[in-house]
Amino acid sequence: MTDSRRSTTTSALALCTLFLMAFAMRGPVTSVGPAADVVLRDFGLSYQAFGVLNALPVLAFGFFSFPAVTLSERIGMHKTIAAALGLLLLGTLCRVTESMVLLFAGTVFVGAGIAFLNVLVPVLLKAQAPDKAARAMGLYTVVVGLSGTIGTWTSAPLAHLADSHIAVMAVWLAFIVPALCLWPRVKTDDAAKAAAADKGGMVRLIKTGAAWAVILTMGMQSLTVYTTCAWLPTALTERGFTTSAAGLAVAFFLFCSLPGSLWLDAIIRRLGSLKRTAVLMTVMFLAGIACWQAGGWWVWSGCFLAGIPQGGMFTFALIVMAMKSHGPVQMAQISAVSQGVGYLAAGLGPWIFSVLYTYSGFFAASLSLVAAVLVWGIAALSASGPARVFR
C-alpha cells in the first residue's frame, strides 16, 4: 500500500470513528426526558429530583471541559479520548441498574465522558480536514443532532415496550462499544498537549471579547436545547399529548436542527452578514416558543421554527471558534473555555425549569426559555462583530 493510500485510509478510519463517537454524544442525555414517566416510576423521583438528574450531565459538560486539555498534556489526546469512551461505557452500565445512587453517578460519568469529547473531537476534525473546517463542523453537528433525535424518538417506545428504563439507557452501547474498539487503531497528533503546555493560554482567552461571544453563544444554545429536551415532553403530556406523541414532537424539534446545521453556511452567504443571520435565528426561535404555547397542532410548527435555529446556532459557535483560532492549539483552548463556562450556565436550565414548572406551570417556565434565547441572540450578535481573532 502506498503512503498516500495508507494516509487516506487512516484519515477515513479516524473520521468514521469520530462520527461514531458523535452518535453517542447527545442521545444518552436527551433520551431521559421522553421516558420521564417510566424513570419517575422506577426510581420514585420527584419533579425536582428529575430536574437535578437532567441538569447533572450538562453541569458535568461544564466541569469536565476544563481538565480535558490538561489531561491531554499528561497522557496524550489519544488516551484522553479512550478514557472518555471508557467513562461513557462505565456510566451507561451504571444506569442500567435499578439503584438510584448508580443512576445519578452513572449520569455524571456519562456527562464527563461527553465533556472530553465535546472539547477534543472538533479539534481533531479540524486537524483531519483543515481546508474544509466549516463543512466538517456542519456534518459533525448534524451527527450530534441526529444522536439527540434518535434518543428522543426511540426513548418512549423503548421504555413502554420493555416497561423499564433499562432499554432506554442500554441502547447507546451499540455506538459506544464499537467506537471504543476502533479507537486504538486511530492515530492522532498532540495538538491538545501543546495547548495544555501553554498554561496561561486559557486565562488570556477568557479576557477577550471574542472568547466571551463564543462562550455565551455556546452556553445559551445548550441551555435551550437541554431544557427543551428534558421538560417539553412532560409539559406536552400534561396538555393532552400521549407520551409517545410528546417524545415524537421533541424528536421532530431535534430533527429540524439537522438542516439548520447544514444550511447555516449557505444562509450566511445568502444574507451576506453574520449579524442578519443571528437576528433571523433568534426571531425564528421566539416564534417557535409562541407556537408551543398555543398548543395543539401549533406545537409541530413550533418544533420546526425552533429546531432550525437550534441546529444553526450550534454550528455558528463552532465555525466562529474555528475561524478565530490560530490553529488546533488555540482551538483546543477556546473549545475547553467556551464549553466549560457555557455548559456550567446551561446546566442550570433544567433545574430552573423544574422549579418554575412545579409552581407556575408551563407558561411561566417557558418564559425562562424566552429570556435565554434573547441572551443567546445578543451573544450571537456580539460574535458577529468585527472579525477579531483570539489574542
Side-chain angles (χ1 to χ4, degrees), residues 300-320:
W300 302 98
S301 299
C303 291
F304 173 79
L305 289 170
I308 294 293
Q310 185 67 62
M313 293 310 294
F314 184 44
T315 305
F316 185 100
L318 291 177
I319 288 176
V320 172

Side-chain angles (χ1 to χ4, degrees), residues 19-41:
F19 282 115
L20 191 61
M21 292 177 196
F23 270 109
M25 287 174 60
R26 291 298 179 270
V29 178
T30 61
S31 60
V32 176
D37 56 339
V38 175
V39 175
L40 291 171
R41 182 203 67 195

Side-chain angles (χ1 to χ4, degrees), residues 104-339:
F104 279 83
T107 300
V108 173
F109 293 150
V110 166
I114 295 175
F116 290 152
L117 297 179
N118 280 339
V119 172
L120 298 177
V121 169
V123 179
L124 290 174
L125 281 175
K126 183 177 180 180
Q128 293 293 332
D131 298 328
K132 299 179 180 179
R135 180 174 297 180
M137 297 304 169
L139 290 174
Y140 165 68
T141 54
V142 165
V143 177
V144 171
L146 188 59
S147 169
T149 302
I150 293 172
T152 53
W153 181 39
T154 62
S155 180
L158 279 174
H160 294 120
L161 181 64
D163 195 28
S164 171
H165 71 283
I166 293 177
V168 176
M169 309 294 186
V171 68
W172 302 104
L173 294 172
F175 299 103
I176 298 169
V177 173
L180 192 56
C181 293
L182 288 174
W183 183 244
R185 301 179 58 188
V186 177
K187 294 182 179 180
T188 61
D189 58 27
D190 277 335
K193 182 176 180 179
D198 182 13
K199 297 186 184 298
M202 287 192 284
V203 175
R204 290 194 299 272
L205 283 172
I206 292 177
K207 297 178 181 179
T208 66
W212 276 103
V214 179
I215 289 169
L216 291 173
T217 304
M218 184 72 73
M220 292 305 103
Q221 184 275 148
S222 301
L223 188 151
T224 54
V225 70
Y226 286 111
T227 303
T228 301
C229 290
W231 283 107
L232 186 59
T234 301
L236 292 179
T237 54
E238 296 196 358
R239 292 166 70 88
F241 277 58
T242 65
T243 53
S244 295
L248 184 61
V250 180
F252 182 59
F253 161 71
L254 291 175
F255 179 79
C256 291
S257 72
L258 306 185
S261 298
L262 283 176
W263 296 343
L264 181 68
D265 192 38
I267 291 173
I268 293 172
R269 289 199 304 270
R270 178 62 63 89
L271 294 179
S273 166
L274 289 174
K275 177 182 265 189
R276 293 186 191 129
T277 303
V279 170
L280 174 64
M281 297 289 106
T282 301
V283 170
M284 286 182 67
F285 202 96
L286 289 171
I289 292 175
C291 290
W292 286 338
Q293 286 294 100
W297 287 101
W298 284 103
V299 167
W300 302 98
S301 299
C303 291
F304 173 79
L305 289 170
I308 294 293
Q310 185 67 62
M313 293 310 294
F314 184 44
T315 305
F316 185 100
L318 291 177
I319 288 176
V320 172
M321 190 189 303
M323 288 173 56
K324 294 188 176 184
S325 56
H326 294 298
V329 170
Q330 197 176 59
M331 186 174 176
Q333 293 173 337
I334 188 58
S335 181
V337 170
S338 63
Q339 299 197 61

